[in-house]
Each structure stands twice: as structure tokens, then as C-alpha cells.
Amino acid sequence: AQKVTQAQTEISVVEKEDVTLDCVYETRDTTYYLFWYKQPPSGELVFLIRRNSFDEQNEISGRYSWNFQKSTSSFNFTITASQVVDSAVYFCALSEDTASKIIFGSGTRLSIRP
Amino acid sequence: DTAVSQTPKYLVTQMGNDKSIKCEQNLGHDTMYWYKQDSKKFLKIMFSYNNKELIINETVPNRFSPKSPDKAHLNLHINSLELGDSAVYFCASSQKVGTSGAGSTDTQYFGPGTRLTVL
């Protein structure tokens, strides 16, 4: 069975601080996909990244970076030099190749204070 | 151009009524989904259709009936609305890839959501 745990319910940091959002997953499949989505206060769900289980390279996109470690079943997301516009709920998600659905974690609410 | 669109954005109705939410995608995707997001922001899949065929039905009450007239549209009809149906409903779509053939491994793109309030 697939499961995604985002243990941090809420995080609040001051602008310009770095912040890491944790994501731990469980799966029995060897082929699977991990995702991060952002849900800003306006409510839409914005796709951020998709990573397959065979690619453990870290990814950087501007101030965003992702650390995928199969040894610890984690796919953590770091925002460098956070900005107020980064305030949102962030969801980590998992899809097993043999399944027909994506399972979402419970989300981490990130608040960036000016 | 909006990739995945939903109408209406807001829906306020009385208990016991029947209502529909429409979803359309112009991405040429084969697979479409309905999700429910409750007040605690928990996102849970309800249905998935692949090329008009139902492939996921996550033990949703049969008051909820999805209908896919073509692969670009997936509508959600809800009968006899209850207070507990109040939530935000998201439509999503993805291209069919992956060994499961159901598009589960590809990125899902979401619509803007429909906030349903049952009074």
C-alpha cells in the first residue's frame, strides 16, 4: 500500500530564511513517482515537480530544491531565501506505477512572515 | 487558454438538492479525475476516467455519479446533497503513460476547484 507522510502540519518562518518541508513515503513498488504541489491562498493546485524512482539526482529550480533519498524514503523540499509569496499549503504525493491514482500527503501549511 | 476548467467556481445549495459540476480540459489528455478536499485540506481521489471509461471509484456514495461524454469532459453530478458534502472539488487530467496504462504516473494538472457549500 502506498502512503505519504508530511509530519509538519504548519511552519512559520521570517522572510529570507531557508525552510525545508519534509516528505516520507511508503511503497512496495520499485517503480514509482513523487510529486510536489503548491496550493496558495487563492486555492488552486500548482504542479511543482515530478520525480521517478530511478532518478535520485537532486533538483534545483531557482530558489526551490528537492532532495530525493531512497535510503530514507524521503523527498524533501527546500525553499531558499523564502518570500511572502511562498506562503501556501504544500502537498507531497506518490504514485505507484502499478496503481491508478496519486496519493497525497496531508499537506504542510507554510507561512512566511515579512 | 485555461488548461483545466471547472464550472461553477462557487456553489451554494440546500440539503437534499441535486447539483452538477462541469470539468473540461483542452490538454488532449486521456485521463481525468475528481478529487474532494475537505476543510482540513485533505485531498482524496473520488473517481478516475480513462478515455471515457471509469477506472477508479474510491468507495464514494452512489449519490455521486461522474459522467464523461468525451475524453475532454468529466462532469460530476451529486444527488440528495448532504451537509458533509460541503468541500472543494477539484478536477484534474493527465496524459496516459506508465505500465498501468491509466495515466497514474504522469503529472496531473488541476482545475481551479469548485467550492460547494450545503446549507
Side-chain angles (χ1 to χ4, degrees):
Chain A
Q2 48 183 349
K3 183 180 177 183
V4 177
T5 302
Q6 294 180 257
Q8 303 151 308
T9 308
E10 292 192 38
I11 300 176
S12 180
V13 300
V14 177
E15 199 172 19
K16 297 183 185 177
E17 285 186 13
D18 299 347
V19 58
T20 296
L21 283 61
D22 298 333
C23 173
V24 174
Y25 62 92
E26 292 178 29
T27 178
R28 293 179 182 174
D29 277 21
T30 55
T31 303
Y32 53 89
Y33 298 79
L34 295 162
F35 305 81
W36 276 94
Y37 284 84
K38 173 182 180 180
Q39 188 173 36
S42 50
E44 72 272 25
L45 281 158
V46 179
F47 164 73
L48 296 178
I49 189 171
R50 168 178 176 263
R51 179 51 55 93
N52 75 57
S53 53
F54 299 108
D55 183 3
E56 281 194 79
Q57 279 193 338
N58 290 336
E59 174 117 2
I60 298 175
S61 176
R63 296 182 297 105
Y64 294 174
S65 63
W66 290 268
N67 184 295
F68 176 28
Q69 292 203 350
K70 289 176 78 169
S71 59
T72 55
S73 297
S74 64
F75 187 44
N76 296 337
F77 173 31
T78 297
I79 302 175
T80 304
S82 60
Q83 300 176 1
V84 173
V85 294
D86 296 327
S87 296
V89 179
Y90 290 86
F91 292 95
C92 180
L94 164 71
S95 174
E96 295 171 337
D97 198 40
T98 54
S100 302
K101 59 187 178 182
I102 289 180
I103 298 297
F104 284 82
S106 54
T108 296
R109 183 180 298 276
L110 176 64
S111 298
I112 309 297
R113 309 189 304 275
Chain B
D1 285 345
T2 303
V4 184
S5 59
Q6 293 177 230
T7 53
K9 189 167 174 60
Y10 299 97
L11 187 52
V12 181
T13 188
Q14 298 287 331
M15 225 169 30
N17 284 350
D18 302 339
K19 290 292 178 186
S20 292
I21 306 172
K22 294 185 177 181
C23 178
E24 177 181 1
Q25 55 95 3
N26 62 7
L27 297 167
H29 289 165
D30 286 339
T31 309
M32 296 185 72
Y33 312 80
W34 277 108
Y35 286 83
K36 179 180 180 181
Q37 186 174 44
D38 62 24
S39 58
K40 295 182 179 179
K41 295 288 190 180
F42 187 67
L43 262 169
K44 185 169 169 54
I45 191 166
M46 300 173 68
F47 300 103
S48 172
Y49 268 73
N50 185 53
N51 208 1
K52 302 194 298 176
E53 182 182 338
L54 179 68
I55 54 173
I56 293 175
N57 183 337
E58 285 287 305
T59 59
V60 177
N62 57 15
R63 297 183 296 104
F64 290 79
S65 53
K67 283 190 172 52
S68 182
D70 55 62
K71 73 174 191 177
H73 295 84
L74 181 61
N75 304 323
L76 184 64
H77 188 76
I78 315 170
N79 289 328
S80 303
L81 277 156
E82 299 177 357
L83 293 177
D85 297 333
S86 295
V88 179
Y89 292 85
F90 285 97
C91 176
S93 74
S94 68
Q95 186 63 52
K96 185 175 85 171
V97 292
T99 59
S100 68
S104 62
T105 55
D106 200 12
T107 301
Q108 292 184 15
Y109 294 93
F110 286 79
T114 295
R115 182 174 294 278
L116 171 64
T117 303
V118 182
L119 304 174

